[in-house]
């Protein structure tokens, strides 16, 4: 479109941003702008090359701006997501603060991070269990999942995995985690493996201002490391982890990382601690506890993993039967009720939550897989 046209096509994140694009192009005149707006009022002119229908809003000086309503929906959806993904939180929990690298002896984290990708896509409403009553005949990890929303999330790894799931045949939760980890003997499916996940997640955290990049010499070679630059983010993850594993009454206050309106805040935190446990990085978050305190925390994770790797959740079943849904040590006496409230508020998302349970079920057998 020429600069003399008064109708300017823009893709915006929020409607409040649209006025920022309302100033006329340099050299445009009012008559020319009005003519341009009239010429562009047809559906073809507004939608470009077959794109979805657009809307108009008045900008400064009376100029019209065309925008895609889906941009407003995407912006609202992104505003309700946590600042960090589950993969980033697990990686951040495992990084040494000053050295900026993971333990060289950690064999579990790569597989657990791929499981976190499945968890995150389910929490964001992109994937769900296939709606088939016969699926209940199969174990949770063997049930097929499908893409129910192929909109991009803005997170590179999530979008890459989502594209793979969209373009391939339907496979189970366990199969997808295996394939993305490269745990397969099928050479025809080796292309499903997601490579350099830890490095890409670290670079994403650098972009978000949580980490920084440094060069470090390891005797025979140099390696890029990513020390923590924003300790507040990691401290907040530790506080959430300790709260859900040690507090009698779990209260997850809203924070910049996890705002109040993020869906499934309590279930997300359960998934986080279970994923960190499977990735063998949970102990880093519990370093300030006593020896006995760490033992009780690990016992509590075992209970959570057992309760929430089933569908329906075992804790919810006990609570519905009127029995004590808390742990034997009196930890998290309100947790089952909080998660039950989250499920009741999102009854239309049960197939997505079933994927969460299936991914946690895969974590319970992680040692046997590796």
């Amino acid at each position: 479109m020429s600069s003399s046209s008064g109708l300017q096509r823009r893709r915006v994140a929020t409607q409040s941003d649209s006025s920022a694009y309302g100033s006329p192009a340099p050299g445009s005149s009012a008559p020319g702008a009005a003519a341009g707006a009239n010429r562009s009022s047809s559906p073809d002119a507004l939608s470009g090359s077959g794109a979805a229908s657009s809307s108009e809003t008045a900008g400064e000086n009376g100029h019209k701006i065309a925008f895609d309503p889906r941009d407003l929906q995407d912006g609202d959806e992104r505003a309700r997501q946590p600042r960090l993904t589950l993969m980033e939180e697990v990686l951040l929990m495992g990084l040494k603060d000053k050295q900026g690298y993971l333990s060289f002896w950690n064999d579990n984290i790569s597989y657990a991070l791929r499981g976190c990708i499945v968890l995150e896509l389910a929490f964001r409403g992109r994937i769900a269990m296939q709606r088939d009553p016969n699926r209940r005949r199969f174990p949770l990890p063997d049930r097929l999942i499908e893409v129910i929303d192929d909109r991009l999330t803005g997170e590179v790894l999530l979008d890459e995995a989502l594209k793979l799931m969209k373009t391939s045949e339907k496979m189970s939760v366990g199969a997808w985690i295996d394939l993305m980890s490269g745990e397969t003997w099928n050479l025809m499916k080796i292309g499903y493996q997601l490579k350099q996940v830890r490095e890409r997640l670290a670079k994403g955290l650098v972009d978000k201002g949580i980490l920084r990049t440094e060069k470090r010499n390891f005797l025979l070679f140099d390696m890029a490391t990513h020390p923590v630059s924003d300790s507040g983010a990691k401290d907040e993850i530790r506080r959430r982890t300790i709260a859900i594993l040690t507090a009698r009454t779990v209260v997850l206050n809203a924070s910049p990382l996890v705002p109040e309106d993020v869906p499934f805040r309590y279930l997300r935190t359960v998934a986080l601690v279970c994923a960190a446990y499977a990735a063998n990085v949970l102990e880093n978050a519990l370093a300030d506890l006593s020896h006995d305190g760490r033992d009780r925390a690990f016992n509590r994770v075992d209970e959570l993993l057992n309760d929430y790797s089933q569908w329906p959740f075992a804790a919810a079943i006990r609570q519905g039967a009127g029995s004590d849904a808390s742990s034997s040590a009196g930890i998290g006496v309100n947790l089952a009720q909080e998660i039950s409230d989250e499920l009741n508020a999102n009854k239309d998302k049960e197939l997505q939550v079933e994927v969460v349970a299936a991914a946690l079920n895969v974590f319970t057998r992680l040692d046997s897989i590796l």
Side-chain angles (χ1 to χ4, degrees):
M1 187 175 293
S2 65
S3 61
S4 63
S5 174
L7 181 61
Q8 302 174 42
R9 171 96 171 136
R10 293 290 188 270
R11 292 183 62 85
V12 295
T14 61
Q15 189 162 4
S16 60
D17 293 338
S18 61
S19 61
Y21 301 112
S23 56
S28 63
S29 60
N38 291 332
R39 287 195 303 270
S40 302
S41 60
S42 67
D44 291 340
L46 285 175
S47 61
S49 56
S53 62
S54 301
S55 300
E56 297 178 24
T57 186
E60 296 177 3
N61 301 324
H63 291 274
K64 294 182 179 179
I65 300 165
F67 65 90
D68 192 332
R70 292 175 302 176
D71 290 330
L72 304 182
Q73 298 171 4
D74 292 348
D76 180 66
E77 195 263 348
R78 283 193 293 269
R80 297 179 67 243
Q81 296 301 333
R83 182 184 174 195
L84 302 181
T85 63
L86 285 171
M87 306 91 72
E88 290 171 331
E89 289 184 326
V90 169
L91 181 80
L92 192 55
M93 201 181 295
L95 281 176
K96 301 175 186 294
D97 289 11
K98 296 181 179 179
Q99 294 90 339
Y101 56 86
L102 297 162
S103 169
F104 293 120
W105 313 111
N106 192 338
D107 295 329
N108 290 21
I109 191 167
S110 292
Y111 195 89
L113 287 175
R114 272 69 171 190
C116 288
I117 291 175
V118 173
L119 285 168
E120 189 69 43
L121 287 173
F123 278 125
R124 292 180 181 236
R126 299 306 194 266
I127 60 175
M129 284 292 181
Q130 189 175 23
R131 192 180 293 276
D132 180 4
N134 293 325
R135 73 181 186 278
R136 296 185 177 90
R137 296 184 302 168
F138 302 98
L140 267 174
D142 296 336
R143 298 177 188 177
L144 301 182
I145 59 176
E146 61 184 354
V147 174
I148 58 174
D149 184 352
D150 61 359
R151 287 179 301 159
L152 299 181
T153 65
E155 300 287 345
V156 177
L157 279 170
L158 292 181
D159 292 338
E160 185 176 335
L162 189 64
K163 183 178 179 181
L164 290 174
M165 293 178 181
K166 178 68 176 178
T167 57
S168 75
E169 72 275 18
K170 291 182 176 63
M171 290 185 283
S172 67
V173 172
W176 271 117
I177 298 176
D178 284 346
L179 291 175
M180 290 190 294
S181 303
E183 300 288 330
T184 177
W185 294 101
N186 189 341
L187 297 180
M188 299 296 293
K189 294 184 178 180
I190 198 67
Y192 289 111
Q193 181 180 4
L194 298 181
K195 299 180 179 179
Q196 298 180 321
V197 167
R198 283 176 283 183
E199 181 64 23
R200 292 160 70 185
L201 287 173
K203 289 180 178 178
L205 288 169
V206 171
D207 293 338
K208 294 180 180 182
I210 308 297
L211 305 178
R212 64 181 187 275
T213 302
E214 294 180 354
K215 288 282 187 179
R216 190 179 183 92
N217 180 267
F218 288 89
L219 191 60
L220 298 178
F221 59 93
D222 290 334
M223 186 178 79
T225 60
H226 303 282
V228 175
S229 60
D230 179 5
S231 59
K234 190 165 185 177
D235 290 341
E236 198 276 332
I237 295 171
R238 287 193 183 112
R239 282 194 295 270
R240 265 190 295 141
T241 300
I242 291 174
I244 209 161
L245 294 180
T246 64
R248 176 174 175 78
T249 301
V250 180
V251 178
L252 299 180
N253 296 317
S255 70
L257 290 187
V258 186
E260 183 70 35
D261 56 351
V262 169
F264 299 111
R265 292 171 66 243
Y266 283 84
L267 184 57
R268 258 187 174 275
T269 306
V270 168
L272 169 64
V273 298
C274 291
Y277 182 54
N280 201 23
V281 299
L282 181 61
E283 189 169 1
N284 296 344
L286 307 178
D288 294 335
L289 299 181
S290 65
H291 181 74
D292 290 342
R294 285 197 296 273
D295 284 345
R296 287 193 295 270
F298 278 114
N299 290 336
R300 178 59 174 153
V301 179
D302 284 330
E303 293 176 353
L304 292 175
L305 200 51
N306 179 68
D307 285 348
Y308 294 99
S309 62
Q310 306 176 40
W311 184 253
F313 293 141
I317 293 174
R318 290 201 307 271
Q319 186 186 49
S323 59
D324 184 12
S326 66
S327 70
S328 57
I331 299 171
V333 294
N334 65 321
L335 184 59
Q337 182 61 55
E338 293 288 352
I339 292 178
S340 178
D341 292 343
E342 291 179 340
L343 295 177
N344 289 333
N346 297 275
K347 286 185 176 295
D348 59 328
K349 299 179 179 178
E350 287 191 354
L351 291 175
Q352 299 165 216
V353 180
E354 190 174 337
V355 174
V356 173
L360 296 183
N361 191 285
V362 172
F363 288 158
T364 63
R365 54 189 182 91
L366 185 59
D367 287 340
S368 63
I369 294 173
L370 299 177

